[in-house]
């Protein structure tokens, strides 16, 4: 009795930035490099030149949502088209979901566009069109805006000195500070947010955050980082460790002077000198994607001008590819025989058209594989030509006939374009 509980020990110094002089030097080196080498990107131009604060916040917000899980090079054209069509929150709030999905088609993770529009409507109707100005309010008030996006908008558009942590920042910080524990664990993520908030430059927070992400995207890349060109290598523990090799043969967990350090690589997977700086970051093994099979049928008829037309139907308004259009499709159980797959598809089509469809009449075209983030999807593709007038039966979802050009201009996923 009477023994006070020990306060949790602070993380070992090698995993922190505790020297203000070092932090100052790192900021200076990183920002000087950014000023010299940053990529010229349309959202950066808008963030730097747009005088209206709400428009500026909106412009950064759109770019951040588009950039989630998507390469910069892919996003640029989509971004330009989007901002041309909907330059303000008000314009976006008035768009239809169909228009949003059409513009988003091909960019992937389709719920992002829909959520962005819903949030824009909320800003217009509930916040009088005024963007929240701090990371805390952005995260609290805007649906679909998480901690990272809120920090990015607040620092880049409004100059709030708040850090950000995304995949690039995780990699850079784990290397700078030799953090080898699972980088998706809450303990490590919390530590990285603290570090990002310590490092952020209060006079240029938006540039600092973009510089850190830019470094991860162009220099401190996952597989073959360009350490020789890195503007912060003198602050990088992983680089130092690679240069000076493994210290005397002591267990790795004792490298930072603390047994069982929660931030070092686990004792079972110590530093591997053949990996060099790419020892960091470490991730727990990912779950393998789920396999799915879907039968899909390209129904074709002669349109009134003689050109072929194809039937597309709309997916439900929630779930995977919500609200997008596709050829009539039916998820299949795994390991069905081909004959059975064909029969199930024929029954499904019969319900659409309200007339018998013979399984034998379906022509097998081939299989298309498409990887969604967590699903390994195989489309088993059939086609069926229809003669005469086709009246669709009591359809379960909206459907329409489109020419090939109309198909490509519709809100259809990349997977359906492959089909
Ligand atoms: Fe990344 Fe290498 Fe720079 Fe360290 S020195 S931050 S590992 S690029």
């Amino acid at each position: 009795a009477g023994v006070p509980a020990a306060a949790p020990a602070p993380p070992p110094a090698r995993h922190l930035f505790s020297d203000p002089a070092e932090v100052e030097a790192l900021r200076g080196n990183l920002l000087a490099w950014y000023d010299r080498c940053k990529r010229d990107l349309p959202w950066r131009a808008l963030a730097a030149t747009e005088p209206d604060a709400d428009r500026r916040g909106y412009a950064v917000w759109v770019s951040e949502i588009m950039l989630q899980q998507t390469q910069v090079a892919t996003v640029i054209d989509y971004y330009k088209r989007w901002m041309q069509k909907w330059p303000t929150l008000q314009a976006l709030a008035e768009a239809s979901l169909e228009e949003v999905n059409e513009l988003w088609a091909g960019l992937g993770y389709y719920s992002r566009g829909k959520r962005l529009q819903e949030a824009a409507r909320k800003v217009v109707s509930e916040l009088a069109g005024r963007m929240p100005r701090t990371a805390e309010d952005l995260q609290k008030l805007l649906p679909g805006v998480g901690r990272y996006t809120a920090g990015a908008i607040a620092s880049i558009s409004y100059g709030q000195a708040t850090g950000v942590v995304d995949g690039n920042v995780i990699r850079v910080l784990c290397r700078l500070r030799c953090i080898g524990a699972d980088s998706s664990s809450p303990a490590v993520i919390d530590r990285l947010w603290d570090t990002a908030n310590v490092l952020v430059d209060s006079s240029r927070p938006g540039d600092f955050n973009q510089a850190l992400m830019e470094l991860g995207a162009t220099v401190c890349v996952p597989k073959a980082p360009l350490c020789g060109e890195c503007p912060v290598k003198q602050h990088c523990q992983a680089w130092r460790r690679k240069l000076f090799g493994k210290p005397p043969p002591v267990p790795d967990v004792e490298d930072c002077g603390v047994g069982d350090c929660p931030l070092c690589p686990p004792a079972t997977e110590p530093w591997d000198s053949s990996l060099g700086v790419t020892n960091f970051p470490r991730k727990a093994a990912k779950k393998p994607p789920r396999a799915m099979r879907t039968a899909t049928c390209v129904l074709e008829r002669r349109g009134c001008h003689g050109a072929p037309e194809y039937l597309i139907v709309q997916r439900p308004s929630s779930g995977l590819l919500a609200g997008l259009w596709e050829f009539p499709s039916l998820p299949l159980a795994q390991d069905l025989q081909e004959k059975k797959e064909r029969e199930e598809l024929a029954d499904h089509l019969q319900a659409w058209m309200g007339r018998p469809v013979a399984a034998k009449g379906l022509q097998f075209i081939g299989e298309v594989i498409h990887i969604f983030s967590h699903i390994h999807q195989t489309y088993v593709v059939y086609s069926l030509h229809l003669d005469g007038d086709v009246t669709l039966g009591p359809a379960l979802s909206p459907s329409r006939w489109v020419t090939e050009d109309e198909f490509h201009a519709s809100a259809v996923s990349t997977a359906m374009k492959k089909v």
Side-chain angles (χ1 to χ4, degrees), residues 172 175-176 215 219-220 225-227 230 232-233 236 238-239 277:
V172 174
R175 288 175 179 171
L176 285 175
L215 187 76
V219 175
C220 195
L226 310 169
C227 298
C230 176
V232 296
K233 58 178 176 288
C236 181
W239 168 247
V277 299

Side-chain angles (χ1 to χ4, degrees), residues 43-248:
W43 45 90
R44 288 189 177 156
L46 276 174
T49 58
E50 174 56 63
D52 181 283
D54 294 312
R55 281 188 174 220
R56 196 165 65 238
Y58 166 70
V60 171
W61 182 14
V62 173
S63 71
E64 290 298 338
I65 301 291
M66 285 191 173
L67 286 165
Q68 285 167 9
Q69 330 266 358
T70 311
Q71 300 283 332
V72 166
T74 310
V75 166
I76 292 175
D77 279 349
Y78 282 90
Y79 183 78
K80 287 184 184 160
R81 280 200 299 272
W82 182 287
M83 294 307 292
Q84 202 166 21
K85 191 158 182 165
W86 301 304
T88 61
L89 282 159
Q90 288 73 11
L92 177 60
E94 284 165 17
S96 72
L97 179 57
E98 192 64 22
E99 290 175 294
V100 168
N101 279 339
E102 279 172 12
L103 203 146
W104 203 277
L107 201 53
Y109 297 90
Y110 296 91
S111 59
R112 293 180 297 169
K114 180 177 171 210
R115 294 237 298 274
L116 187 53
Q117 194 213 22
E118 284 166 359
R121 286 189 173 159
K122 179 171 171 183
V123 177
V124 170
S125 64
E126 294 176 26
L127 307 176
R130 190 175 188 276
M131 286 282 287
R133 299 290 200 261
T134 64
E136 297 70 28
D137 284 350
L138 285 157
Q139 190 176 350
K140 196 166 71 196
L141 297 173
L142 300 189
V145 169
R147 189 174 181 186
Y148 162 78
T149 309
I153 299 172
S155 61
I156 299 171
S157 313
Y158 303 125
Q160 187 187 3
T162 187
V164 295
V165 174
D166 74 342
N168 283 319
V169 174
I170 290 175
R171 185 167 58 257
V172 174
L173 294 184
C174 283
R175 288 175 179 171
L176 285 175
R177 294 293 102 161
C178 278
I179 295 176
D182 173 9
S183 66
S184 59
S185 68
V188 170
I189 293 290
D190 284 352
R191 167 58 40 208
L192 296 177
W193 275 101
D194 289 349
T195 304
N197 282 324
V198 166
L199 290 182
V200 67
D201 184 300
S202 57
S203 60
R204 297 177 61 191
D207 285 344
F208 180 87
N209 286 338
Q210 292 186 88
L212 203 54
M213 294 190 274
E214 185 97 341
L215 187 76
T218 60
V219 175
C220 195
V221 293
K223 291 219 176 83
L226 310 169
C227 298
E229 298 169 22
C230 176
V232 296
K233 58 178 176 288
Q234 65 270 44
H235 310 291
C236 181
Q237 300 274 359
W239 168 247
R240 211 177 272 204
R241 172 142 197 194
K242 181 179 175 252
L243 281 189
F244 300 120
K246 194 170 160 68

Side-chain angles (χ1 to χ4, degrees), residues 293-297 299 328-353 355-362 380 382 384 396:
R293 261 176 102 71
T294 296
T296 190
C297 185
L299 282 170
S329 298
L330 178 69
L332 297 167
Q334 291 290 329
D335 305 325
L336 273 192
Q337 287 191 327
E338 197 254 321
K339 180 164 171 268
K340 190 80 183 124
E341 284 185 356
R342 196 184 273 266
E343 283 169 9
E344 288 200 1
L345 180 61
D347 287 349
H348 180 66
L349 294 172
Q350 193 159 316
W352 277 102
M353 293 188 290
R355 72 180 202 192
V357 173
K360 279 200 297 249
L362 296 173
V380 190
Y382 292 87
L384 181 64
L396 306 166

